[in-house]
Amino acid sequence: MAIPMILDCDPGHDDALAIMLAAADPHLDLLAITTVAGNTTLDKATLNARRVCTIAGVSGVPVAAGCDRPLVDELRIADDIHGVSGLDGPAFGEPTVPLAGEHAVELTRRLLLDHPEPVTLVPTGPLTNVATLLRDHPEVAPKIREIVLMGGSTGRGNMTPYGEFNIAVDPEAADLVFRSGLPVTMIGLNVTHQALVTPEVVARFRALGTPLAEACVALMTFFGSAYERVFGLPDPPLHDPIAVARVIDPSLVACVAAPVAVELTGAHTRGATVVDLHHKTGEPDNAQVALHLDVDRFWDLVVGAVSSLSGSRAAGSPS
Ligand code: RIB
Ligand code: CA
């Protein structure tokens, strides 16, 4: 039985690969793609989600736009990483995938209440949409199987010294999600930086020899150039697909239960995820915190997904 899930994203280069993995993998039933302001403005993130679905041949999955700014702070985007369009690199034509008429929060509420089984939410951007859903529609909580989010870190941040982007853009939203009492899994930078897009990984995509694979190469090449310029990392971490991979096969991502608090008032640390790995605070565990990724199997999954969407044999894939 495929796992019903909703991907809430801010495409974004790594979000684009998360969309492809979520749409392609047979273990998942992708009910909807919702967008949130983060890497770029909401309108661009939404256009980018429709563009990715178009080039990947993903049809029949509603794409709905959500919140255009964090709960409290002004929006801060990551155009230094994702470019002016939010998805610089490939040349995209006009999307053929339509925009759903409903707001993302309303669509998510309706899908959750209507679905016969509880649904997994996979946020890979700021948590504004998810927090708004939980705040305004508490009746949906029993229909949420778990929340597997890309965000936070057991160590340092990337937007501020201790703030990871998805959390630091909307700390109030993240705080609400981590305090919701729902099953939350945190896929933080400490794990996503194990999934580096090395030249060998790029070669595996290029070897697929399809237009979609070429678009992925262009996306990852741009992403890598930005990471080298900003962080001195030529091989960029492909953050967001790891959250999807965890839903597909939990054995890919080793986690431990721990208390996680979101810092809201620290003069220098607002937006940090404070992960009490050694249980020093006496606080109860409120999240599964990812610590280790099976990197080889992760890349097999992502390359295989792009191959299946483009209908070609994955060159270099395991026999
Ligand atoms: O910190 C990395 C996260 O922020 C990723 O989800 C990336 O797409 C951005 O949203
Ligand atoms: Ca993202």
Side-chain angles (χ1 to χ4, degrees):
M1 172 77 172
I3 299 168
M5 68 160 276
I6 293 172
L7 179 67
D8 184 64
C9 57
D10 61 337
H13 290 69
D14 50 332
D15 302 78
L17 274 294
I19 289 172
M20 294 179 203
L21 180 58
D25 195 277
H27 297 89
L28 301 176
D29 177 10
L30 182 59
L31 303 180
I33 297 167
T34 57
T35 58
V36 66
N39 281 324
T40 188
T41 56
L42 178 67
D43 57 334
K44 291 180 179 178
T46 307
L47 173 61
N48 290 338
R50 295 170 58 211
R51 281 171 163 169
V52 171
C53 288
T54 299
I55 65 170
V58 176
S59 59
V61 178
V63 177
C67 299
D68 63 1
R69 56 155 299 164
L71 296 182
V72 173
D73 289 349
E74 294 298 322
L75 175 64
R76 288 166 289 168
I77 65 174
D79 51 352
D80 58 336
I81 297 293
H82 298 278
V84 171
S85 73
L87 205 58
D88 283 13
F92 293 97
E94 275 307 300
T96 58
V97 168
L99 174 64
E102 286 173 287
H103 186 284
V105 171
E106 180 50 33
L107 174 65
T108 303
R109 184 193 73 84
R110 180 169 60 78
L111 290 174
L112 289 176
L113 294 180
D114 290 351
H115 202 278
E117 300 291 327
V119 175
T120 296
L121 302 184
V122 181
T124 62
L127 291 160
T128 319
N129 286 346
V130 177
T132 302
L133 173 77
L134 299 179
R135 181 194 66 197
D136 296 351
H137 303 289
E139 71 276 13
V140 304
K143 295 304 295 292
I144 297 173
R145 179 169 175 266
E146 61 174 335
I147 298 172
V148 182
L149 64 92
M150 192 278 133
S153 173
T154 61
R156 295 181 64 87
N158 58 3
M159 181 176 175
T160 65
Y162 288 94
E164 178 279 327
F165 182 83
N166 288 339
I167 306 297
V169 163
D170 196 342
E172 280 68 27
D175 179 56
L176 192 152
V177 171
F178 277 100
R179 292 156 61 96
S180 68
L182 290 168
V184 172
T185 296
M186 181 186 110
I187 311 289
L189 297 178
N190 54 292
V191 166
T192 66
H193 278 249
Q194 298 173 30
L196 299 180
V197 181
T198 63
E200 292 74 22
V201 168
V202 174
R204 287 189 66 179
F205 283 94
R206 184 172 283 116
L208 296 178
T210 64
L212 179 61
E214 278 310 309
C216 291
V217 169
L219 284 169
M220 293 183 286
T221 301
F222 180 91
F223 197 44
S225 65
Y227 255 82
E228 182 156 36
R229 183 178 65 254
V230 173
F231 295 108
L233 286 176
D235 300 341
L238 201 70
H239 311 280
D240 293 337
I242 300 173
V244 177
R246 166 72 183 184
V247 181
I248 293 169
D249 181 353
S251 73
L252 281 169
V253 187
C255 298
V256 295
V260 178
V262 178
E263 177 57 58
L264 298 177
T265 59
H268 308 288
T269 55
R270 174 169 158 79
T273 46
V274 182
V275 183
D276 182 11
L277 288 174
H278 303 297
H279 292 89
K280 295 293 189 183
T281 62
E283 292 298 317
D285 295 341
N286 63 335
Q288 287 290 322
V289 176
L291 295 181
H292 184 266
L293 173 70
D294 186 328
V295 176
D296 292 342
R297 287 171 58 210
F298 170 72
W299 288 123
D300 289 346
L301 205 60
V302 179
V303 173
V306 172
S307 171
S308 67
L309 285 170
S310 47
S312 70
R313 281 287 308 142
S317 62
S319 55

PDB file of all heavy atoms in Angstrom, residues 10-15 38-39 78 81-82 123-126 150-152 158-159 163-167 189 192 223 227 239-240, ligand 1:
ATOM      1  N   ASP A  10       9.520  24.876  -1.415  1.00  0.00           N
ATOM      2  CA  ASP A  10       9.824  26.249  -1.855  1.00  0.00           C
ATOM      3  C   ASP A  10      10.867  26.190  -2.977  1.00  0.00           C
ATOM      4  O   ASP A  10      11.975  26.702  -2.852  1.00  0.00           O
ATOM      5  CB  ASP A  10      10.338  27.110  -0.687  1.00  0.00           C
ATOM      6  CG  ASP A  10      11.632  26.583  -0.057  1.00  0.00           C
ATOM      7  OD1 ASP A  10      11.932  25.372  -0.184  1.00  0.00           O
ATOM      8  OD2 ASP A  10      12.363  27.399   0.545  1.00  0.00           O
ATOM      9  N   PRO A  11      10.522  25.537  -4.093  1.00  0.00           N
ATOM     10  CA  PRO A  11      11.516  25.298  -5.174  1.00  0.00           C
ATOM     11  C   PRO A  11      12.138  26.591  -5.693  1.00  0.00           C
ATOM     12  O   PRO A  11      11.436  27.493  -6.145  1.00  0.00           O
ATOM     13  CB  PRO A  11      10.710  24.651  -6.284  1.00  0.00           C
ATOM     14  CG  PRO A  11       9.333  24.439  -5.809  1.00  0.00           C
ATOM     15  CD  PRO A  11       9.178  25.098  -4.489  1.00  0.00           C
ATOM     16  N   GLY A  12      13.374  26.454  -5.660  1.00  0.00           N
ATOM     17  CA  GLY A  12      14.462  25.750  -4.968  1.00  0.00           C
ATOM     18  C   GLY A  12      14.934  24.489  -5.698  1.00  0.00           C
ATOM     19  O   GLY A  12      14.136  23.659  -6.094  1.00  0.00           O
ATOM     20  N   HIS A  13      16.291  24.471  -5.851  1.00  0.00           N
ATOM     21  CA  HIS A  13      16.947  23.415  -6.625  1.00  0.00           C
ATOM     22  C   HIS A  13      16.783  22.042  -5.982  1.00  0.00           C
ATOM     23  O   HIS A  13      16.435  21.064  -6.650  1.00  0.00           O
ATOM     24  CB  HIS A  13      18.436  23.752  -6.814  1.00  0.00           C
ATOM     25  CG  HIS A  13      18.663  24.909  -7.742  1.00  0.00           C
ATOM     26  ND1 HIS A  13      18.318  26.206  -7.411  1.00  0.00           N
ATOM     27  CD2 HIS A  13      19.161  24.977  -9.004  1.00  0.00           C
ATOM     28  CE1 HIS A  13      18.612  27.007  -8.422  1.00  0.00           C
ATOM     29  NE2 HIS A  13      19.120  26.293  -9.407  1.00  0.00           N
ATOM     30  N   ASP A  14      17.011  21.963  -4.675  1.00  0.00           N
ATOM     31  CA  ASP A  14      16.895  20.649  -4.030  1.00  0.00           C
ATOM     32  C   ASP A  14      15.436  20.243  -3.873  1.00  0.00           C
ATOM     33  O   ASP A  14      15.091  19.054  -3.969  1.00  0.00           O
ATOM     34  CB  ASP A  14      17.634  20.618  -2.693  1.00  0.00           C
ATOM     35  CG  ASP A  14      17.292  21.774  -1.765  1.00  0.00           C
ATOM     36  OD1 ASP A  14      16.936  22.851  -2.271  1.00  0.00           O
ATOM     37  OD2 ASP A  14      17.374  21.603  -0.546  1.00  0.00           O
ATOM     38  N   ASP A  15      14.541  21.246  -3.718  1.00  0.00           N
ATOM     39  CA  ASP A  15      13.105  20.943  -3.722  1.00  0.00           C
ATOM     40  C   ASP A  15      12.690  20.293  -5.039  1.00  0.00           C
ATOM     41  O   ASP A  15      11.843  19.404  -5.072  1.00  0.00           O
ATOM     42  CB  ASP A  15      12.274  22.214  -3.555  1.00  0.00           C
ATOM     43  CG  ASP A  15      12.589  22.987  -2.291  1.00  0.00           C
ATOM     44  OD1 ASP A  15      13.621  23.696  -2.289  1.00  0.00           O
ATOM     45  OD2 ASP A  15      11.848  22.850  -1.321  1.00  0.00           O
ATOM     46  N   GLY A  38      10.008  31.087   0.549  1.00  0.00           N
ATOM     47  CA  GLY A  38      11.232  30.690   1.263  1.00  0.00           C
ATOM     48  C   GLY A  38      12.448  30.976   0.406  1.00  0.00           C
ATOM     49  O   GLY A  38      12.916  32.105   0.338  1.00  0.00           O
ATOM     50  N   ASN A  39      12.887  29.948  -0.333  1.00  0.00           N
ATOM     51  CA  ASN A  39      14.051  30.154  -1.208  1.00  0.00           C
ATOM     52  C   ASN A  39      13.848  31.354  -2.129  1.00  0.00           C
ATOM     53  O   ASN A  39      14.788  32.037  -2.514  1.00  0.00           O
ATOM     54  CB  ASN A  39      14.274  28.916  -2.079  1.00  0.00           C
ATOM     55  CG  ASN A  39      14.965  27.804  -1.326  1.00  0.00           C
ATOM     56  OD1 ASN A  39      15.835  28.071  -0.484  1.00  0.00           O
ATOM     57  ND2 ASN A  39      14.562  26.577  -1.590  1.00  0.00           N
ATOM     58  N   ALA A  78      16.547  33.218  -0.449  1.00  0.00           N
ATOM     59  CA  ALA A  78      17.923  32.731  -0.642  1.00  0.00           C
ATOM     60  C   ALA A  78      18.300  32.848  -2.119  1.00  0.00           C
ATOM     61  O   ALA A  78      18.683  31.861  -2.765  1.00  0.00           O
ATOM     62  CB  ALA A  78      18.043  31.286  -0.169  1.00  0.00           C
ATOM     63  N   ILE A  81      21.639  31.685  -3.420  1.00  0.00           N
ATOM     64  CA  ILE A  81      21.838  30.250  -3.687  1.00  0.00           C
ATOM     65  C   ILE A  81      21.007  29.793  -4.893  1.00  0.00           C
ATOM     66  O   ILE A  81      21.484  29.031  -5.735  1.00  0.00           O
ATOM     67  CB  ILE A  81      21.437  29.407  -2.453  1.00  0.00           C
ATOM     68  CG1 ILE A  81      22.353  29.754  -1.275  1.00  0.00           C
ATOM     69  CG2 ILE A  81      21.489  27.908  -2.762  1.00  0.00           C
ATOM     70  CD1 ILE A  81      23.798  29.360  -1.440  1.00  0.00           C
ATOM     71  N   HIS A  82      19.776  30.262  -4.985  1.00  0.00           N
ATOM     72  CA  HIS A  82      18.854  29.705  -5.988  1.00  0.00           C
ATOM     73  C   HIS A  82      18.645  30.628  -7.192  1.00  0.00           C
ATOM     74  O   HIS A  82      17.957  30.262  -8.132  1.00  0.00           O
ATOM     75  CB  HIS A  82      17.521  29.351  -5.330  1.00  0.00           C
ATOM     76  CG  HIS A  82      17.670  28.299  -4.255  1.00  0.00           C
ATOM     77  ND1 HIS A  82      17.731  26.954  -4.525  1.00  0.00           N
ATOM     78  CD2 HIS A  82      17.819  28.407  -2.908  1.00  0.00           C
ATOM     79  CE1 HIS A  82      17.895  26.282  -3.402  1.00  0.00           C
ATOM     80  NE2 HIS A  82      17.959  27.136  -2.403  1.00  0.00           N
ATOM     81  N   PRO A 123       7.367  18.684   4.670  1.00  0.00           N
ATOM     82  CA  PRO A 123       7.726  20.071   4.382  1.00  0.00           C
ATOM     83  C   PRO A 123       9.214  20.179   4.072  1.00  0.00           C
ATOM     84  O   PRO A 123      10.049  19.666   4.832  1.00  0.00           O
ATOM     85  CB  PRO A 123       7.392  20.830   5.667  1.00  0.00           C
ATOM     86  CG  PRO A 123       6.757  19.820   6.585  1.00  0.00           C
ATOM     87  CD  PRO A 123       7.179  18.477   6.095  1.00  0.00           C
ATOM     88  N   THR A 124       9.557  20.858   2.977  1.00  0.00           N
ATOM     89  CA  THR A 124      10.973  21.076   2.651  1.00  0.00           C
ATOM     90  C   THR A 124      11.288  22.560   2.483  1.00  0.00           C
ATOM     91  O   THR A 124      12.279  22.924   1.832  1.00  0.00           O
ATOM     92  CB  THR A 124      11.369  20.324   1.360  1.00  0.00           C
ATOM     93  OG1 THR A 124      10.604  20.841   0.260  1.00  0.00           O
ATOM     94  CG2 THR A 124      11.130  18.832   1.489  1.00  0.00           C
ATOM     95  N   GLY A 125      10.450  23.389   3.031  1.00  0.00           N
ATOM     96  CA  GLY A 125      10.671  24.838   3.067  1.00  0.00           C
ATOM     97  C   GLY A 125      10.318  25.347   4.450  1.00  0.00           C
ATOM     98  O   GLY A 125      10.123  24.559   5.379  1.00  0.00           O
ATOM     99  N   PRO A 126      10.234  26.653   4.615  1.00  0.00           N
ATOM    100  CA  PRO A 126       9.767  27.184   5.893  1.00  0.00           C
ATOM    101  C   PRO A 126       8.413  26.581   6.251  1.00  0.00           C
ATOM    102  O   PRO A 126       7.622  26.235   5.383  1.00  0.00           O
ATOM    103  CB  PRO A 126       9.652  28.686   5.616  1.00  0.00           C
ATOM    104  CG  PRO A 126      10.697  28.931   4.557  1.00  0.00           C
ATOM    105  CD  PRO A 126      10.653  27.718   3.671  1.00  0.00           C
ATOM    106  N   MET A 150      12.505  18.630   6.277  1.00  0.00           N
ATOM    107  CA  MET A 150      13.886  19.037   6.096  1.00  0.00           C
ATOM    108  C   MET A 150      14.008  20.395   6.769  1.00  0.00           C
ATOM    109  O   MET A 150      13.373  21.358   6.385  1.00  0.00           O
ATOM    110  CB  MET A 150      14.291  19.165   4.619  1.00  0.00           C
ATOM    111  CG  MET A 150      15.809  19.295   4.431  1.00  0.00           C
ATOM    112  SD  MET A 150      16.361  21.019   4.703  1.00  0.00           S
ATOM    113  CE  MET A 150      17.789  20.774   5.798  1.00  0.00           C
ATOM    114  N   GLY A 151      14.873  20.429   7.790  1.00  0.00           N
ATOM    115  CA  GLY A 151      15.082  21.693   8.477  1.00  0.00           C
ATOM    116  C   GLY A 151      15.893  21.478   9.734  1.00  0.00           C
ATOM    117  O   GLY A 151      16.045  20.362  10.218  1.00  0.00           O
ATOM    118  N   GLY A 152      16.412  22.569  10.252  1.00  0.00           N
ATOM    119  CA  GLY A 152      17.147  22.511  11.499  1.00  0.00           C
ATOM    120  C   GLY A 152      18.519  21.891  11.354  1.00  0.00           C
ATOM    121  O   GLY A 152      19.004  21.631  10.248  1.00  0.00           O
ATOM    122  N   ASN A 158      22.946  27.568   8.450  1.00  0.00           N
ATOM    123  CA  ASN A 158      23.449  28.033   7.151  1.00  0.00           C
ATOM    124  C   ASN A 158      22.898  29.410   6.779  1.00  0.00           C
ATOM    125  O   ASN A 158      23.424  30.082   5.904  1.00  0.00           O
ATOM    126  CB  ASN A 158      23.143  27.016   6.044  1.00  0.00           C
ATOM    127  CG  ASN A 158      21.661  26.717   5.914  1.00  0.00           C
ATOM    128  OD1 ASN A 158      20.835  27.304   6.615  1.00  0.00           O
ATOM    129  ND2 ASN A 158      21.324  25.808   5.018  1.00  0.00           N
ATOM    130  N   MET A 159      21.849  29.834   7.468  1.00  0.00           N
ATOM    131  CA  MET A 159      21.327  31.192   7.232  1.00  0.00           C
ATOM    132  C   MET A 159      21.936  32.170   8.229  1.00  0.00           C
ATOM    133  O   MET A 159      22.259  33.305   7.905  1.00  0.00           O
ATOM    134  CB  MET A 159      19.810  31.205   7.352  1.00  0.00           C
ATOM    135  CG  MET A 159      19.194  32.573   7.092  1.00  0.00           C
ATOM    136  SD  MET A 159      17.405  32.469   7.137  1.00  0.00           S
ATOM    137  CE  MET A 159      16.966  34.197   6.950  1.00  0.00           C
ATOM    138  N   GLY A 163      21.282  29.110  12.756  1.00  0.00           N
ATOM    139  CA  GLY A 163      19.935  28.979  12.200  1.00  0.00           C
ATOM    140  C   GLY A 163      19.950  28.359  10.825  1.00  0.00           C
ATOM    141  O   GLY A 163      20.581  28.914   9.909  1.00  0.00           O
ATOM    142  N   GLU A 164      19.288  27.199  10.690  1.00  0.00           N
ATOM    143  CA  GLU A 164      19.149  26.619   9.344  1.00  0.00           C
ATOM    144  C   GLU A 164      18.030  27.375   8.627  1.00  0.00           C
ATOM    145  O   GLU A 164      17.034  27.769   9.254  1.00  0.00           O
ATOM    146  CB  GLU A 164      18.820  25.117   9.478  1.00  0.00           C
ATOM    147  CG  GLU A 164      18.589  24.396   8.166  1.00  0.00           C
ATOM    148  CD  GLU A 164      17.168  24.626   7.645  1.00  0.00           C
ATOM    149  OE1 GLU A 164      16.246  24.760   8.452  1.00  0.00           O
ATOM    150  OE2 GLU A 164      17.011  24.695   6.400  1.00  0.00           O
ATOM    151  N   PHE A 165      18.105  27.527   7.323  1.00  0.00           N
ATOM    152  CA  PHE A 165      17.225  28.426   6.565  1.00  0.00           C
ATOM    153  C   PHE A 165      15.740  28.170   6.821  1.00  0.00           C
ATOM    154  O   PHE A 165      14.995  29.110   7.151  1.00  0.00           O
ATOM    155  CB  PHE A 165      17.529  28.284   5.069  1.00  0.00           C
ATOM    156  CG  PHE A 165      16.722  29.205   4.199  1.00  0.00           C
ATOM    157  CD1 PHE A 165      17.113  30.528   3.994  1.00  0.00           C
ATOM    158  CD2 PHE A 165      15.552  28.756   3.590  1.00  0.00           C
ATOM    159  CE1 PHE A 165      16.358  31.380   3.195  1.00  0.00           C
ATOM    160  CE2 PHE A 165      14.795  29.603   2.792  1.00  0.00           C
ATOM    161  CZ  PHE A 165      15.189  30.920   2.593  1.00  0.00           C
ATOM    162  N   ASN A 166      15.256  26.930   6.653  1.00  0.00           N
ATOM    163  CA  ASN A 166      13.819  26.676   6.746  1.00  0.00           C
ATOM    164  C   ASN A 166      13.250  27.029   8.117  1.00  0.00           C
ATOM    165  O   ASN A 166      12.103  27.456   8.235  1.00  0.00           O
ATOM    166  CB  ASN A 166      13.506  25.206   6.429  1.00  0.00           C
ATOM    167  CG  ASN A 166      13.677  24.891   4.956  1.00  0.00           C
ATOM    168  OD1 ASN A 166      13.641  25.785   4.111  1.00  0.00           O
ATOM    169  ND2 ASN A 166      13.892  23.630   4.651  1.00  0.00           N
ATOM    170  N   ILE A 167      14.073  26.842   9.140  1.00  0.00           N
ATOM    171  CA  ILE A 167      13.629  27.169  10.500  1.00  0.00           C
ATOM    172  C   ILE A 167      13.792  28.656  10.758  1.00  0.00           C
ATOM    173  O   ILE A 167      12.886  29.329  11.289  1.00  0.00           O
ATOM    174  CB  ILE A 167      14.413  26.349  11.544  1.00  0.00           C
ATOM    175  CG1 ILE A 167      14.336  24.851  11.248  1.00  0.00           C
ATOM    176  CG2 ILE A 167      13.941  26.686  12.959  1.00  0.00           C
ATOM    177  CD1 ILE A 167      12.959  24.250  11.298  1.00  0.00           C
ATOM    178  N   LEU A 189      20.692  19.753   8.751  1.00  0.00           N
ATOM    179  CA  LEU A 189      21.916  19.937   7.955  1.00  0.00           C
ATOM    180  C   LEU A 189      22.993  18.923   8.318  1.00  0.00           C
ATOM    181  O   LEU A 189      23.816  18.550   7.482  1.00  0.00           O
ATOM    182  CB  LEU A 189      22.464  21.349   8.173  1.00  0.00           C
ATOM    183  CG  LEU A 189      21.590  22.517   7.719  1.00  0.00           C
ATOM    184  CD1 LEU A 189      22.271  23.840   8.068  1.00  0.00           C
ATOM    185  CD2 LEU A 189      21.309  22.434   6.222  1.00  0.00           C
ATOM    186  N   THR A 192      21.970  16.259   5.944  1.00  0.00           N
ATOM    187  CA  THR A 192      21.910  16.578   4.510  1.00  0.00           C
ATOM    188  C   THR A 192      23.299  16.847   3.934  1.00  0.00           C
ATOM    189  O   THR A 192      23.532  16.629   2.743  1.00  0.00           O
ATOM    190  CB  THR A 192      20.991  17.786   4.238  1.00  0.00           C
ATOM    191  OG1 THR A 192      21.552  18.974   4.820  1.00  0.00           O
ATOM    192  CG2 THR A 192      19.599  17.543   4.795  1.00  0.00           C
ATOM    193  N   PHE A 223      23.473  24.981  -8.678  1.00  0.00           N
ATOM    194  CA  PHE A 223      23.426  24.863  -7.219  1.00  0.00           C
ATOM    195  C   PHE A 223      24.861  24.756  -6.660  1.00  0.00           C
ATOM    196  O   PHE A 223      25.220  25.422  -5.689  1.00  0.00           O
ATOM    197  CB  PHE A 223      22.611  23.621  -6.880  1.00  0.00           C
ATOM    198  CG  PHE A 223      22.097  23.519  -5.469  1.00  0.00           C
ATOM    199  CD1 PHE A 223      21.524  24.612  -4.817  1.00  0.00           C
ATOM    200  CD2 PHE A 223      22.151  22.308  -4.794  1.00  0.00           C
ATOM    201  CE1 PHE A 223      21.020  24.496  -3.503  1.00  0.00           C
ATOM    202  CE2 PHE A 223      21.653  22.176  -3.487  1.00  0.00           C
ATOM    203  CZ  PHE A 223      21.096  23.281  -2.850  1.00  0.00           C
ATOM    204  N   TYR A 227      26.875  27.253  -4.129  1.00  0.00           N
ATOM    205  CA  TYR A 227      27.421  26.784  -2.850  1.00  0.00           C
ATOM    206  C   TYR A 227      28.920  27.049  -2.758  1.00  0.00           C
ATOM    207  O   TYR A 227      29.450  27.368  -1.686  1.00  0.00           O
ATOM    208  CB  TYR A 227      27.100  25.291  -2.656  1.00  0.00           C
ATOM    209  CG  TYR A 227      25.994  25.075  -1.646  1.00  0.00           C
ATOM    210  CD1 TYR A 227      24.658  25.198  -2.005  1.00  0.00           C
ATOM    211  CD2 TYR A 227      26.279  24.802  -0.314  1.00  0.00           C
ATOM    212  CE1 TYR A 227      23.648  25.038  -1.083  1.00  0.00           C
ATOM    213  CE2 TYR A 227      25.270  24.630   0.630  1.00  0.00           C
ATOM    214  CZ  TYR A 227      23.952  24.747   0.239  1.00  0.00           C
ATOM    215  OH  TYR A 227      22.941  24.607   1.166  1.00  0.00           O
ATOM    216  N   HIS A 239      19.697  18.695   0.038  1.00  0.00           N
ATOM    217  CA  HIS A 239      18.950  18.579   1.290  1.00  0.00           C
ATOM    218  C   HIS A 239      17.596  17.868   1.161  1.00  0.00           C
ATOM    219  O   HIS A 239      17.359  16.852   1.811  1.00  0.00           O
ATOM    220  CB  HIS A 239      18.664  19.986   1.862  1.00  0.00           C
ATOM    221  CG  HIS A 239      19.833  20.897   1.933  1.00  0.00           C
ATOM    222  ND1 HIS A 239      20.785  20.848   2.950  1.00  0.00           N
ATOM    223  CD2 HIS A 239      20.194  21.931   1.129  1.00  0.00           C
ATOM    224  CE1 HIS A 239      21.678  21.800   2.758  1.00  0.00           C
ATOM    225  NE2 HIS A 239      21.362  22.470   1.665  1.00  0.00           N
ATOM    226  N   ASP A 240      16.691  18.424   0.376  1.00  0.00           N
ATOM    227  CA  ASP A 240      15.271  18.101   0.492  1.00  0.00           C
ATOM    228  C   ASP A 240      14.875  16.670   0.129  1.00  0.00           C
ATOM    229  O   ASP A 240      14.003  16.085   0.791  1.00  0.00           O
ATOM    230  CB  ASP A 240      14.451  19.090  -0.342  1.00  0.00           C
ATOM    231  CG  ASP A 240      14.525  20.486   0.221  1.00  0.00           C
ATOM    232  OD1 ASP A 240      14.820  20.633   1.430  1.00  0.00           O
ATOM    233  OD2 ASP A 240      14.298  21.450  -0.532  1.00  0.00           O
TER     234      ASP A 240
HETATM  235  O1  RIB B   1      18.735  24.841   4.545  1.00  0.00           O
HETATM  236  C1  RIB B   1      18.385  24.120   3.394  1.00  0.00           C
HETATM  237  C2  RIB B   1      16.922  24.226   3.128  1.00  0.00           C
HETATM  238  O2  RIB B   1      16.552  25.585   2.889  1.00  0.00           O
HETATM  239  C3  RIB B   1      16.488  23.467   1.871  1.00  0.00           C
HETATM  240  O3  RIB B   1      15.154  23.058   1.996  1.00  0.00           O
HETATM  241  C4  RIB B   1      16.589  24.516   0.807  1.00  0.00           C
HETATM  242  O4  RIB B   1      15.760  24.227  -0.320  1.00  0.00           O
HETATM  243  C5  RIB B   1      16.083  25.717   1.543  1.00  0.00           C
HETATM  244  O5  RIB B   1      14.660  25.678   1.514  1.00  0.00           O
END
